[in-house]
Amino acid sequence: MISPKFKIQQLAIKQVLGYLRKDPEKNLPKVVSWLRKFDTENLYSAQYDMVDEYLKDQNNNWTKLMCNLVNNVDPNIVETVFTNFLLNASIKGWSVVAQSKEKYGYETPFTILVDPTTACNKKCIGCWAADYNKALNLSYEELDKLFNDGKELGIYFYIMTGGEPLVRKNDILKLAKKHNDCVFMFFTNGTLIDQKFCEDLIEVGNLVPTISVEGFDDATDDRRGKGSWNDIMRAMDLMKSNRIPFGFSTCFTTANCDSVLSEEFIDLMMDKGAYFSWYFTFMPIGCKTDTSLMANPDQREKLYRTIRGWRENKAIFNMDFWHDAEYVGGCVAGGRRYCHINANGDVEPCVFCHYSNANIKEVSLLEALGQPLFREYQKNQPFNCNQFRPCPILDNAPKIAEMVKKSGAKSTEFIDPEDVDDLCKKTINYGLTWAKRAEPLWKENVESKNKGKLVYEKEVDKNDVLE
């Protein structure tokens, strides 16, 4: 049940957004100062300070992005997502998460990635989901219980993948309506997005699509099947015409490096209507995976530099899942910030880590989050002080093997369970090779930040004197 306090805050947010729509460029800074008032425990004061600094420049990319969202996205979606994410997931939820850690002695994640189903109408090369039984599903009742239990722990942000989650389209819409105080994002191949579904998205307001794409037409069709590119373009055009916000995700490999990091590609995605992106480095998960797809050091450095460069000149929120670890203190997996629940109910540290001690069909969510493997993760995080090397599988093997063995976790793969030592054999030399490149990159990054901090402090001191 929605509390009276939430209803009052929700009304206040609606009024703030209405004021913002009148003149986004002019009113954005004022709106941020108002939003600070909701953060009564000052959980995000540093983030608000950073946003304030960005918004001083109306030509800043972040200002352009925010104005684009306010002007071009359906008002019900803007209001619902903004309200649920700010008030519930960020302010209310984070406070409960912090209390839970003190109470139970282990972390509660900010978000949970869950697979409603392993069923899919595609068979993409290198997809980790291919090693799961294609007939697995979490029932509507199990998903409903998960979201209820999650909210008790302060978790109001959920991400869905699969399989293809829209195979369960009706259940997902029903769950979004029932849990209208949450934000749900889902990864999809786009084939099942039609006009009726766009209308449903506008009605519920709290479901945000992310389209999986591998580059241009040839690269996408080669990995995802002939006609996939046309399906993606159609889905994006449809969502843009319906004023639905969406993003795109891409699995960064040796095969598509140049295309997905090209100006032509990112400009096309923005033109199609994408507001954010996820860039994932290819992981060699599964016994039969093609390890030649793992990005080499030159390509991985190019990923890092390109994404950082786009943040200066592209009005889109780009996320580099590996090299952005510095902003969240390293690896986020193992329940520290997020975890993964597969369609069999196994609660895994990460979508790429198929080992577990717990299943939500057998234990409560709270018990699953306290499983031995998660505690090993949290005990060892960060896995490296160089946060361009955050991952215990790809960058720091055999760390993952040590944790799996010490916790007694078992493989959750159905078709061909992978021994954790075999997994490490595929990544240990890769991690050592990347370390040689990552060390000077990290040093350069730290020196740049320190220099920027000194410049900022001098500017602040100068302004204080002038005042």
Side-chain angles (χ1 to χ4, degrees), residues 45-59:
S45 56
Q47 287 84 345
Y48 281 125
D49 289 343
M50 181 176 66
V51 172
D52 275 337
E53 193 64 27
Y54 279 129
L55 296 182
K56 289 178 181 177
D57 179 9
Q58 291 190 359
N59 293 317

Side-chain angles (χ1 to χ4, degrees), residues 143-157:
L143 289 166
D144 182 41
K145 184 177 187 301
L146 169 66
F147 302 146
N148 279 323
D149 291 349
K151 287 189 290 185
E152 289 290 326
L153 298 173
I155 307 168
Y156 288 85
F157 179 39

Side-chain angles (χ1 to χ4, degrees), residues 252-419:
F252 181 79
T253 72
T254 53
N256 69 1
C257 169
D258 291 335
S259 64
V260 298
L261 294 180
S262 67
E263 293 276 335
E264 184 183 2
F265 179 73
I266 193 66
D267 287 345
L268 175 62
M269 293 295 101
M270 292 171 62
D271 182 63
K272 286 290 178 179
Y275 289 92
F276 61 89
S277 76
W278 296 81
Y279 275 75
F280 297 96
T281 300
F282 178 82
M283 292 285 285
I285 304 303
C287 295
K288 299 175 183 178
T289 191
D290 182 359
T291 56
S292 70
L293 291 172
M294 298 166 65
N296 63 43
D298 286 343
Q299 294 169 329
R300 196 158 159 183
E301 180 177 346
K302 183 177 181 179
L303 171 66
Y304 157 70
R305 294 195 184 280
T306 301
I307 296 294
R308 299 286 170 116
W310 282 346
R311 288 174 184 162
E312 300 298 321
N313 55 36
K314 303 291 182 184
I316 180 173
F317 184 47
N318 291 304
M319 289 169 279
D320 177 353
F321 198 69
W322 256 251
H323 310 118
D324 283 345
E326 63 171 312
Y327 301 120
V328 288
C331 172
V332 294
R336 177 174 164 265
R337 293 291 180 271
Y338 107 108
C339 66
H340 176 236
I341 302 177
N342 69 27
N344 189 48
D346 299 307
V347 185
E348 303 167 336
C350 171
V351 70
F352 302 114
C353 184
H354 297 175
Y355 303 93
S356 179
N357 300 107
N359 188 295
I360 57 166
K361 296 180 181 180
E362 300 167 356
V363 300
S364 69
L365 176 61
L366 181 61
E367 290 174 293
L369 294 174
Q371 66 174 281
L373 181 56
F374 280 26
R375 290 184 181 239
E376 285 300 314
Y377 256 76
Q378 292 163 28
K379 189 190 304 181
N380 284 275
Q381 288 163 324
F383 298 107
N384 201 300
C385 60
N386 180 336
Q387 292 177 7
F388 291 161
R389 300 173 56 200
C391 179
I393 299 175
L394 194 65
D395 303 321
N396 296 286
K399 179 58 70 175
I400 183 60
E402 295 171 7
M403 294 189 295
V404 166
K405 291 175 183 178
K406 190 167 184 179
S407 66
K410 305 299 182 185
S411 173
T412 56
E413 292 176 356
F414 262 75
I415 295 176
D416 199 358
E418 183 171 34
D419 183 271

Side-chain angles (χ1 to χ4, degrees), residues 5-24 27-28 30-32 34-35 37-38 70 75-76 78-80 82-83 86-87:
K5 180 181 178 181
F6 178 81
K7 289 182 178 180
I8 293 171
Q9 291 174 327
Q10 189 177 38
L11 179 60
I13 290 288
K14 186 174 183 178
Q15 292 173 335
V16 167
L17 289 173
Y19 175 76
L20 181 60
R21 289 188 193 101
K22 294 178 181 179
D23 191 340
N27 293 333
L28 258 174
K30 297 178 183 178
V31 167
V32 173
W34 289 344
L35 293 178
K37 298 176 182 178
F38 292 105
V70 171
N76 184 53
V78 173
E79 181 183 325
T80 305
F82 192 77
T83 302
L86 176 70
L87 296 183

Side-chain angles (χ1 to χ4, degrees), residues 91-249:
I91 295 176
K92 175 183 175 182
W94 199 248
S95 177
V96 176
V97 163
Q99 293 169 17
S100 295
K101 182 181 180 181
E102 290 186 11
K103 183 176 181 179
Y104 302 113
Y106 52 85
E107 302 274 4
T108 300
F110 175 76
T111 185
I112 293 177
L113 177 63
V114 58
D115 303 345
T117 182
T118 50
C120 186
N121 55 351
K122 297 279 184 181
K123 189 172 177 60
C124 303
I125 296 172
C127 177
W128 52 263
D131 281 338
Y132 287 131
N133 185 324
K134 293 296 184 183
L136 294 176
N137 291 281
L138 289 174
S139 69
Y140 172 88
E141 290 74 20
E142 288 166 338
L143 289 166
D144 182 41
K145 184 177 187 301
L146 169 66
F147 302 146
N148 279 323
D149 291 349
K151 287 189 290 185
E152 289 290 326
L153 298 173
I155 307 168
Y156 288 85
F157 179 39
Y158 297 90
I159 306 172
M160 299 184 189
T161 183
E164 169 52 51
L166 293 190
V167 170
R168 300 281 302 283
K169 187 187 296 186
N170 292 335
D171 280 344
I172 288 173
L173 286 167
K174 186 178 177 183
L175 287 162
K177 288 180 182 178
K178 180 173 183 181
H179 298 278
N180 59 0
D181 50 354
C182 294
V183 175
F184 299 93
M185 190 176 75
F186 59 94
F187 290 94
T188 174
N189 59 40
T191 56
L192 301 178
I193 294 176
D194 54 21
Q195 179 59 35
K196 174 62 169 61
F197 186 61
C198 286
E199 293 168 3
D200 291 332
L201 290 176
I202 293 170
E203 180 184 353
V204 296
N206 61 347
L207 279 166
V208 181
T210 302
I211 305 288
S212 300
V213 59
E214 307 303 328
F216 294 104
D217 49 357
D218 289 346
T220 297
D221 284 0
D222 283 348
R223 184 161 187 240
R224 296 186 170 271
K226 189 175 182 180
S228 295
W229 175 257
N230 289 335
D231 284 334
I232 289 168
M233 295 297 99
R234 175 198 58 79
M236 288 183 172
D237 289 342
L238 192 58
M239 288 189 291
K240 183 178 181 180
S241 67
N242 280 276
R243 304 179 69 195
I244 293 169
F246 68 90
F248 73 91
S249 71

